Amino acid sequence: MLAAVLSAFVPTTASAAGRPGSVTSVVASPGAQAGEIKVSWHASGSRTDKFRVETALTPFGSSDEGRGAQTFTVSGSRRSVTLSAEAVRKAGAAPATGNHLYIRVVGVDVRRHGVRKGKASDLVATTARAVPPPATGSPLRIASYNIRSAKYDGEDRRNWSVRAAGVASDILKVDPGIVAIQEASPARFGGQRQTESVQSALIKADPTMARYTLTRSTIYNPPGTPHGSQAARILYDSSRYQLLTPCTDTTVVNGATLDFSTSCSFDLPILPGDAPTWKRSAAYGEFLDLATGKPFLVVSAHLDYRHSDKASEEAKFNELRRVQAATIWANMNLIRKPNEPVVVAGDFNSSQTDKAGNAPHDYLVSQGFYDAAGAEKQVNLEYPSLNHFDTTLKADPQGYARRVDQILVYGTIGSKTFSQVVEQRNPARNSDHNMVYADVVLPTF
């Protein structure tokens, strides 16, 4: 209940026993200090000894509680409260998590044994006050973009041949230093692989610079090997960053040069009993910032997409994604230099609002990663990052829609901006996901 956090608030005595008055017009917003949240409300206060400020990590109705529910009790004379950074942390929404809290307020008559009798307020949501990023260091704009595999052409009206130029335009408009790409298939569709056509489209759109380069374009495994997705890729601006990892596209076997290489990739775990075709590869690369001479690592990942309406099955898939995230971190710890920053970005197929939890994200945060969504400036988070090519996207009423596309950074804190590149109405979307990007500051010491 975190009573100790708000021990300074002493309840007053209600004027009469009975049903407490309703609570209206609740507003929740970042507090004055990093990690804080301020909640204000209007209420008559009739027959109210206390107010209960109820929070959760998922939406909840008038009678049920959300995941990670917490209750903060304050005096019936109060009409606002600032939840401390420690209280917000225990509720699951410290700035490093990038999480938001769903909040409602209800009046309570203590002499009715704390049974909620008043009408609860409408649900609102907010993130905590962000942690400021370092004042000095190396700025990095990192993006993540699931571009939709060309092999799914035909399921919608926009094929890759039409979308490729739009994907390139999206990237050039944002001007990121690094882009974690998902669903860039290394299979051939016509004259080119989809990986190659991404780079071709970027060169065509920006012929004078031709800055953007993929670390890898061919398959990660020997031809004929049973395997699932190999479409996690990394794109980088070669005018600002140098690829340090030896990422080769070919392998010499018995004197023959074959178009595959396991370089700059590793497999993610699958469930016991899964066929090899469920395997997924993550892509990684070490880059040198040409402006500072400092290296950092980037991982692009597309975690298992399975979900189930059955709670036990959903928990199993959630745990699998956690193990996949743990495998990413274990691999980076094998190769990273002391104090070297690491960025993990991609389609996690998991979000805060999933009832079973957001296990891969939560694991990385527990290891010291900072979710770049916990930014000083947040843009377009009211729209879902998985748009399904819908012409019109529905804005979330509390301002935070389901976001499966995530960016987490190890070795720094804070984020200046986290943004989704999205229009609410667009009949010609370039992918079934929105690109997301973040502005972070990497250390230079």
Side-chain angles (χ1 to χ4, degrees):
M1 296 297 183
L2 302 178
V5 177
L6 301 173
S7 58
F9 301 110
V10 180
T12 59
T13 301
S15 58
R19 180 182 175 87
S22 62
V23 178
T24 60
S25 305
V26 174
V27 175
S29 59
Q33 302 298 318
E36 294 182 345
I37 287 176
K38 183 176 181 179
V39 185
S40 304
W41 60 92
H42 292 287
S44 68
S46 62
R47 296 178 296 278
T48 302
D49 293 298
K50 294 183 179 182
F51 288 105
R52 283 172 32 175
V53 179
E54 301 175 342
T55 73
L57 293 171
T58 56
F60 48 102
S62 59
S63 60
D64 66 322
E65 295 181 329
R67 180 167 56 82
Q70 296 285 328
T71 298
F72 306 86
T73 303
V74 301
S75 166
S77 65
R78 303 283 301 197
R79 295 298 182 273
S80 69
V81 63
T82 295
L83 305 181
S84 71
E86 175 62 12
V88 173
R89 183 192 68 79
K90 289 183 177 180
T97 68
N99 290 341
H100 54 277
L101 284 184
Y102 293 96
I103 298 169
R104 68 184 176 195
V105 182
V106 62
V108 174
D109 183 342
V110 173
R111 286 174 292 181
R112 296 293 296 270
H113 308 291
V115 176
R116 185 192 316 142
K117 299 295 289 186
K119 180 182 178 182
S121 70
D122 290 337
L123 203 62
V124 296
T126 186
T127 52
R129 175 68 60 187
V131 173
T136 60
S138 175
L140 169 66
R141 175 164 286 186
I142 175 78
S144 183
Y145 200 0
N146 181 325
I147 64 172
R148 168 85 166 198
S149 176
K151 72 178 181 180
Y152 296 124
D153 284 356
E155 292 187 11
D156 52 72
R157 296 174 179 169
R158 303 204 77 225
N159 290 346
W160 175 247
S161 60
V162 178
R163 296 189 292 111
V167 166
S169 177
D170 288 341
I171 293 170
L172 290 172
K173 286 177 183 177
V174 169
D175 192 32
I178 309 284
V179 188
I181 300 281
Q182 301 84 48
E183 294 200 30
S185 175
R188 292 191 180 278
F189 300 93
Q192 283 187 317
R193 304 177 188 275
Q194 188 176 8
T195 50
E196 295 167 341
S197 66
V198 170
Q199 195 158 309
S200 296
L202 283 162
I203 292 172
K204 185 176 181 180
D206 186 26
T208 59
M209 295 291 287
R211 297 172 293 154
Y212 287 101
T213 304
L214 278 173
T215 59
R216 289 288 317 280
S217 63
T218 60
I219 59 177
Y220 292 142
N221 303 97
T225 303
H227 202 281
S229 175
Q230 303 174 59
R233 304 283 158 163
I234 300 175
L235 188 74
Y236 67 101
D237 182 344
S238 58
S239 72
R240 289 181 274 180
Y241 302 98
Q242 177 186 344
L243 178 63
L244 297 178
T245 316
C247 299
T248 59
D249 272 337
T250 60
T251 301
V252 176
V253 179
N254 297 325
T257 300
L258 303 182
D259 284 341
F260 87 92
S261 172
T262 60
S263 67
C264 302
S265 70
F266 55 89
D267 285 345
L268 299 177
I270 56 179
L271 291 172
D274 278 346
T277 50
W278 280 105
K279 286 184 181 178
R280 290 171 173 254
S281 294
Y284 74 91
E286 184 180 35
F287 298 90
L288 183 73
D289 186 328
L290 295 175
T292 65
K294 298 297 182 180
F296 60 97
L297 285 159
V298 176
V299 179
S300 175
H302 191 183
L303 305 186
D304 193 281
Y305 67 82
R306 288 173 286 184
H307 286 272
S308 174
D309 292 332
K310 187 177 179 180
S312 61
E313 287 288 302
E314 180 67 1
K316 180 174 66 175
F317 296 136
N318 188 45
E319 172 62 12
L320 172 60
R321 287 185 282 271
R322 185 198 69 80
V323 174
Q324 290 177 334
T327 300
I328 291 170
W329 185 222
N331 275 274
M332 291 304 95
N333 275 318
L334 289 174
I335 64 175
R336 72 183 186 92
K337 300 177 179 69
N339 301 317
E340 185 172 17
V342 179
V343 180
V344 177
D347 179 357
F348 281 29
N349 276 307
S350 176
S351 80
Q352 176 192 324
T353 52
D354 291 355
K355 290 183 178 180
N358 192 8
H361 165 278
D362 294 350
Y363 172 80
L364 292 174
V365 170
S366 76
Q367 299 303 299
F369 278 80
Y370 191 99
D371 185 340
E376 292 180 313
K377 181 180 179 181
Q378 299 171 327
V379 182
N380 291 331
L381 297 194
E382 66 270 30
Y383 301 114
S385 69
L386 179 60
N387 62 59
H388 298 291
F389 286 108
D390 291 341
T391 296
T392 303
L393 298 183
K394 183 179 179 181
D396 184 87
Q398 283 83 45
Y400 297 90
R402 186 171 187 261
R403 178 174 50 83
V404 298
D405 300 277
Q406 303 177 26
I407 299 171
L408 293 99
V409 187
Y410 181 88
T412 190
I413 60 171
S415 172
K416 290 185 177 181
T417 304
F418 186 89
S419 177
Q420 285 200 78
V421 181
V422 60
E423 297 174 326
Q424 183 176 23
R425 181 173 175 78
N426 185 348
R429 300 191 189 278
N430 296 317
S431 175
D432 60 345
H433 284 250
N434 308 323
M435 179 168 60
V436 299
Y437 71 87
D439 292 320
V440 299
V441 179
L442 300 183
T444 53
F445 49 82

